Amino acid sequence: MEKAKKVVRKRKLVDKEDDSNAKKGSIKKTKTQKEPTAIEEYNNVDVKDENTIKSSNNVWNEAEMLSYKEKLPKQLAERFISLLTEGCTLPFIARYRKEAIGHLLPDRLQEIYESYQCINHFKKKVKSVLETLKKCKKLTPEVEKSILNARNLSELDLVYSPLKSHSLSLAERARNLGLEPYAIKALNGENIDLQLLCNGSDELSTVDKVETQITHIIADVIYKDTRVLEKMRKLKEETRFTLQSSRTKSSTKDTKKDANKKYDTKSDPDTYKLYFEWKCPIQFVKSYQTLAINRGEDEKILSVKVIVPDWFYNKLERFCLPLWGSNHWVRKGLQDAYNRLIKSWLSRQVRTDLTTAAEKEAIKTFTTNLEKYLLTEPIKNRRIAGLDPGFKAGCKLGIIDVNGAKLEACTIYPNLRQQNKYDPAAKQLIDLLQKHGVELIGLGNGTACRETETWLKNHHISDGIPIIIVPEQGASIYSISKEAQKEHPNMDPNLISALSIARRVLDPLGELIKVDPKNLGVGLYQHDIPPKMLEAALDSAVEKVVSLVGVDINTASQAMLRRISGLNDSRAKKIISYREENGSYITRTDILKVSGIGKITCQQCVGFLKIVGGKEPLDSTIIHPESYGVAKLFAKKIGVDIKHLTRPDFPDLVERNILTIDIPSLSKDLAADVSTLELIVTAFKQKSYEDNVITFCRPVYSVSVQSNEQLVTGTTLTGVVRNVVPFGCFVDCGVGDNGLIHKSQLGNYSPKLGDRVAVTVINTPKPKKLQLKFDKILD
């Protein structure tokens, strides 16, 4: 799965400052002699699909396949594909082309886009298979028809699998013996004398061998028949398969051989104890169960199989019997095809479907948590100290100003194991906090967090300065990255980590996007998901969040800009270089002056870039420049002046003035769609940013309990929800590892990332197995 913006590169609609786009016919030129303004250019953009894939060599085209797969109206599928081939990205489509895609939500758009990517991949695979079979002279009209009738990779595999080997299939060998005409006659009900076909050769020495060879040909004819393939497709959807797993003998032998052997968490057979004798109808198999079973099978601890009920074969046989003249040969051929090919294909298909659904669910869980995590509420306009706690290595301290710039970075060595009233490190820290006027401390939640929290309290450092416990997952990995070293050349990575913790409080989104999402600790079975699939999904989620929030083009970092719809690392770098050389951007459309930013890229990204305090008031809103004319006419209609857009009373004034306005009828008067007017109204009603009040800087953890050793069943704790998964949620209670609240212990509570909760220990914890019961949400 690739990001939508890569479609632009595939179609060679690369944005340039010259007239190459116009020469290709991708942008219409205005007829006026004067040079058009940037906003006028938007209204003239009409990117044509120069590279529409012809579907003459396939049963369906992309729109039809997408419509079938995602249960969409064909016209909507066509419009969606058209927007993608024009170079539109998903965030742009979701915000500015709602009418065209039927007001689908971003998550639904993502699902459809993923299906479209799969369809493109499938079509390429079909083309490759046809070319391969043609080269090796195995492509017959019947095989080609069956391949073109396949609707997914699994159905393609059913037809192609027996042919892709360099050696001949059983049916091909039989055909090479000259038996195909006799097999066809037999299948159609004609009498053939098998004895006469015995010619003394090894393959045809007896009647039984002749019968076997003819059966192979008939089996090949039956399972490649498009009618049979269609019926199997339907029966598969109707059949109740069962997934079964058991422990492998090899894993049992290993355990007996070395009873004292210590396993790591990945290979300990007891990890999969639940699945040693396990059976479940596939419609009830949970996504995490599928991924766990797959991993157990890969590690040769579990043996897994799909149980196909006899109902499937009986139904298929009744369907096939009327299609040909001989019931005897249909039964023999179908039985042979079923045992050798169809049954194993069904098993692969069911496992593939389960795995695909499980991977999608795992990715959805990951991206949902990631999106919420990235949207953590910032605490602006504060000088913040980040503390990365530690014992022997000391506590790393990083202090930043209200803009996130480094003020101080050093290491202090508090005595965390003994209560010493005159600890020199305490005085050193107090002096630094006072020197820089620190208003807030962000304390990393890793090793020595609780001890450092107690130390700060004992030395009255936290009496006047609130403390926030900050998840530090990924901070250390970021600190040794090239990006971190570029941002802080020649600085100790440990100190960079402390600065990162402070910035996670000031600007969570701006800091967290610098970290590989896989290292943020909000996933589920991410190591069992194909890396490219996971990476693409996470990149898309980050782009969605950054585009949703928007960035100020005059202050945004390269890490933020590259995540904006339509941009990449190279373009972000050029935007910043232009800003450094020429000063601040005056209007949004000034980015057209940047080398390598053309009209298509500008169209995709400009709505997500903001300019605060520029000469065009609308540049600070989510309104796209292509709609500025409509926005100004709308403002006149409701009696407001967009020059007053930043006034505190502007949103309330708009709210009052639109009460008597009929949006649908006004949209006709203004020649704009309803979605555009609704977006303009939303932008007008959006209040300017107000500084957050620190109302949530309260104790996160229970003061009396600081480690696993202190826990017994019935212990009450407080903590923060750090990860939400389909079977419950994980809570950080400040005792080392996160504890699990299983969904059976949640009651009617639906956890959200970041919720502060009260919990009770329901099981004396084994290593990494803290079990909790939900009590209540802490306000």
Side-chain angles (χ1 to χ4, degrees):
M1 184 181 64
E2 299 174 12
K3 294 179 72 173
K5 57 187 176 185
K6 291 184 180 176
V7 177
V8 182
R9 292 195 293 274
K10 286 173 97 176
R11 298 185 63 253
K12 297 183 180 179
L13 291 175
V14 181
D15 295 320
K16 298 179 180 179
E17 289 184 299
D18 57 23
D19 297 329
S20 58
N21 282 330
K23 291 175 183 177
K24 292 180 183 179
S26 60
I27 306 292
K28 291 182 180 178
K29 292 184 178 180
T30 56
K31 296 180 180 180
T32 56
Q33 295 297 318
K34 66 176 183 178
E35 185 178 345
T37 65
I39 293 176
E40 287 171 341
E41 287 175 340
Y42 273 110
N43 298 321
N44 291 320
V45 171
D46 181 22
V47 183
K48 295 180 181 178
D49 181 8
E50 303 169 322
N51 221 15
T52 303
I53 300 174
K54 296 179 181 179
S55 58
S56 58
N57 66 334
N58 208 336
V59 177
W60 289 351
N61 61 26
E62 293 94 328
E64 288 172 336
M65 295 181 79
L66 186 62
S67 174
Y68 170 81
K69 193 171 182 179
E70 290 295 331
K71 306 296 185 291
L72 296 171
K74 185 183 174 184
Q75 287 184 334
L76 194 152
E78 288 174 342
R79 289 196 296 269
F80 180 69
I81 292 173
S82 177
L83 287 169
L84 290 179
T85 52
E86 288 172 9
C88 295
T89 63
L90 295 188
F92 177 83
I93 294 172
R95 181 180 287 183
Y96 299 114
R97 296 293 183 265
K98 287 184 179 180
E99 292 283 338
I101 46 89
H103 297 264
L104 294 175
L105 295 174
D107 289 344
R108 178 63 178 137
L109 277 181
Q110 184 66 37
E111 291 174 358
I112 296 170
Y113 177 70
E114 289 169 5
S115 291
Y116 176 62
Q117 292 294 88
C118 290
I119 289 168
N120 280 336
H121 174 67
F122 172 64
K123 291 196 73 165
K124 288 178 183 177
K125 182 68 175 176
V126 167
K127 184 179 179 181
S128 173
V129 166
L130 290 174
E131 290 175 352
T132 301
L133 291 177
K134 194 172 182 179
K135 285 180 182 178
C136 61
K137 299 181 180 179
K138 293 184 178 182
L139 185 64
T140 65
E142 293 78 14
V143 170
E144 183 176 23
K145 185 177 179 182
S146 298
I147 288 174
L148 293 178
N149 192 66
R151 295 183 184 177
N152 54 49
L153 290 172
S154 185
E155 291 180 8
L156 177 64
D157 179 64
L158 176 65
V159 180
Y160 180 48
S161 185
L163 301 171
K164 62 184 176 182
S165 172
H166 291 298
S167 59
L168 297 175
S169 67
L170 294 176
E172 287 175 307
R173 292 175 186 174
R175 286 188 173 99
N176 288 342
L177 295 172
L179 294 177
E180 183 169 26
Y182 302 101
I184 299 300
K185 288 179 181 179
L187 185 59
N188 289 327
E190 295 184 31
N191 290 322
I192 57 172
D193 190 343
L194 300 180
Q195 186 66 49
L196 293 176
L197 297 176
C198 297
N199 60 10
S201 65
D202 186 52
E203 294 92 344
L204 303 175
S205 58
T206 65
V207 170
D208 287 343
K209 287 187 176 181
V210 171
E211 185 178 43
T212 299
Q213 297 287 3
I214 288 178
T215 300
H216 290 332
I217 295 174
I218 291 173
D220 188 68
V221 171
I222 289 174
Y223 89 83
K224 285 180 181 175
D225 188 274
T226 55
R227 296 167 297 176
V228 177
L229 186 61
E230 179 66 29
K231 183 63 177 178
M232 286 196 297
R233 186 183 296 135
K234 291 179 180 178
L235 288 177
K236 177 188 157 297
E237 299 302 320
E238 298 169 6
T239 305
R240 301 295 185 185
F241 301 96
T242 301
L243 189 67
Q244 179 178 299
S245 67
S246 57
R247 185 171 184 176
T248 59
K249 291 181 180 179
S250 59
S251 68
T252 307
K253 289 177 183 177
D254 290 341
T255 305
K256 289 180 180 178
K257 190 180 293 183
D258 188 358
N260 298 321
K261 180 179 178 181
K262 292 183 179 180
Y263 295 90
D264 59 31
T265 54
K266 288 186 177 180
S267 60
D268 183 357
D270 284 343
T271 304
Y272 304 98
K273 190 174 181 179
L274 180 66
Y275 302 104
F276 283 172
E277 293 297 331
W278 185 83
K279 185 186 291 186
C280 183
I282 62 166
Q283 64 268 29
F284 299 120
V285 177
K286 303 291 190 296
S287 60
Y288 55 87
Q289 292 173 328
T290 299
L291 295 174
I293 287 171
N294 288 353
R295 185 190 291 179
E297 185 180 37
D298 289 341
E299 294 175 1
K300 296 181 171 41
I301 295 171
L302 297 178
S303 174
V304 187
K305 69 176 182 178
V306 175
I307 300 173
V308 183
D310 294 337
W311 180 89
F312 181 93
Y313 178 80
N314 295 335
K315 279 275 188 180
L316 185 60
E317 184 184 69
R318 283 199 292 272
F319 173 80
C320 291
L321 287 174
L323 300 180
W324 291 279
S326 172
N327 287 353
H328 168 75
W329 286 108
V330 168
R331 286 192 176 97
K332 285 188 71 67
L334 181 61
Q335 187 72 48
D336 181 55
Y338 183 75
N339 290 334
R340 285 194 301 111
L341 303 165
I342 297 173
K343 196 171 183 180
S344 59
W345 170 77
L346 278 173
S347 180
R348 291 195 305 271
Q349 178 86 319
V350 169
R351 292 290 303 279
T352 298
D353 289 348
L354 284 172
T355 301
T356 300
E359 288 173 346
K360 283 185 177 179
E361 183 65 30
I363 287 175
K364 184 178 179 181
T365 298
F366 202 152
T367 54
T368 299
N369 283 333
L370 177 62
E371 287 172 15
K372 290 179 179 176
Y373 190 22
L374 291 176
L375 290 171
T376 299
E377 187 177 18
I379 301 180
K380 296 289 186 181
N381 299 323
R382 301 290 190 277
R383 291 193 172 203
I384 301 170
L387 268 181
D388 186 1
F391 288 113
K392 290 183 179 180
C395 288
K396 277 66 69 179
L397 172 68
I399 300 176
I400 59 173
D401 66 13
V402 295
N403 296 315
K406 183 190 79 169
L407 295 176
E408 187 81 43
C410 63
T411 303
I412 60 174
Y413 295 90
N415 191 340
L416 300 178
R417 302 196 184 276
Q418 296 179 3
Q419 293 186 2
N420 181 0
K421 289 185 178 181
Y422 304 104
D423 191 338
K427 185 177 186 311
Q428 181 186 2
L429 178 59
I430 291 171
D431 290 344
L432 288 171
L433 296 179
Q434 290 177 346
K435 173 185 174 183
H436 297 292
V438 171
E439 303 165 84
L440 189 62
I441 296 174
L443 178 62
N445 68 341
T447 303
C449 169
R450 301 305 308 280
E451 290 81 1
T452 304
E453 182 185 21
T454 302
W455 181 82
L456 291 169
K457 183 177 180 182
N458 290 340
H459 291 279
H460 306 287
I461 297 171
S462 60
D463 290 355
I465 304 177
I467 296 176
I468 293 181
I469 304 296
V470 183
E472 60 179 54
Q473 286 92 337
S476 58
I477 293 175
Y478 159 71
S479 67
I480 59 175
S481 67
K482 290 182 180 179
E483 188 167 343
Q485 293 301 318
K486 183 179 177 181
E487 190 176 358
H488 303 285
N490 303 319
M491 182 180 285
D492 181 353
N494 294 314
L495 298 181
I496 296 177
S497 180
L499 290 171
S500 179
I501 289 172
R503 288 178 182 139
R504 288 186 181 198
V505 179
L506 180 74
D507 182 14
L509 177 59
E511 192 63 24
L512 292 172
I513 61 167
K514 300 175 184 176
V515 182
D516 186 338
K518 295 192 291 292
N519 297 316
L520 289 176
V522 293
L524 170 72
Y525 286 104
Q526 59 259 43
H527 301 296
D528 298 298
I529 301 169
K532 287 186 178 179
M533 181 189 296
L534 180 63
E535 184 180 344
L538 296 178
D539 282 347
S540 178
V542 174
E543 180 185 288
K544 173 185 169 185
V545 171
V546 175
S547 296
L548 172 70
V549 174
V551 300
D552 186 336
I553 191 172
N554 286 320
T555 59
S557 66
Q558 185 174 330
M560 286 286 278
L561 284 171
R562 74 183 183 204
R563 299 291 192 174
I564 287 292
S565 164
L567 298 181
N568 54 28
D569 198 52
S570 173
R571 289 169 181 164
K573 188 175 181 180
K574 289 178 180 178
I575 288 173
I576 291 177
S577 296
Y578 181 90
R579 185 175 75 197
E580 291 172 348
E581 293 170 8
N582 299 278
S584 298
Y585 291 89
I586 306 302
T587 67
R588 279 172 160 174
T589 50
D590 280 349
I591 65 168
L592 284 167
K593 300 174 183 176
V594 178
S595 173
I597 304 290
K599 295 167 189 174
I600 294 175
T601 296
C602 187
Q603 181 196 47
Q604 297 304 304
C605 72
V606 74
F608 306 101
L609 302 173
K610 298 179 182 178
I611 293 180
V612 180
K615 69 177 185 180
E616 172 55 75
L618 294 174
D619 279 350
S620 64
T621 70
I622 60 173
I623 301 170
H624 198 282
E626 66 186 4
S627 302
Y628 279 5
V630 175
K632 291 172 181 177
L633 289 174
F634 178 76
K636 287 182 180 180
K637 287 280 186 181
I638 64 173
V640 296
D641 189 344
I642 61 168
K643 291 180 181 179
H644 303 154
L645 193 63
T646 56
R647 288 187 179 181
D649 62 340
F650 190 83
D652 294 331
L653 180 62
V654 171
E655 185 75 51
R656 289 194 302 271
N657 291 6
I658 64 171
L659 291 175
T660 57
I661 298 293
D662 181 41
I663 297 295
S665 61
L666 183 58
S667 69
K668 293 178 182 178
D669 294 341
L670 298 178
D673 57 58
V674 174
S675 296
T676 300
L677 283 192
E678 289 175 345
L679 185 139
I680 290 169
V681 171
T682 300
F684 282 179
K685 289 164 63 176
Q686 201 164 18
K687 294 183 179 180
S688 58
Y689 184 81
E690 297 176 0
D691 288 344
N692 294 294
V693 180
I694 308 175
T695 57
F696 53 89
C697 298
R698 296 173 295 247
V700 174
Y701 304 133
S702 302
V703 176
S704 59
V705 180
Q706 297 190 356
S707 67
N708 262 332
E709 290 72 23
Q710 296 175 268
L711 297 179
V712 294
T713 301
T715 302
T716 58
L717 301 168
T718 58
V720 181
V721 176
R722 299 297 189 197
N723 197 9
V724 180
V725 293
F727 51 84
C729 64
F730 289 94
V731 179
D732 174 11
C733 296
V735 293
D737 296 300
N738 294 343
L740 171 66
I741 307 179
H742 191 268
K743 62 181 180 181
S744 61
Q745 301 295 330
L746 283 170
N748 296 322
Y749 170 62
S750 298
K752 298 191 298 294
L753 211 70
D755 281 353
R756 293 178 65 252
V757 294
V759 295
T760 301
V761 177
I762 59 174
N763 193 17
T764 302
K766 299 176 183 178
K768 300 185 180 181
K769 297 291 181 182
L770 177 60
Q771 303 290 321
L772 305 171
K773 179 175 75 72
F774 170 75
D775 292 333
K776 63 180 179 179
I777 297 178
L778 301 174
D779 293 330

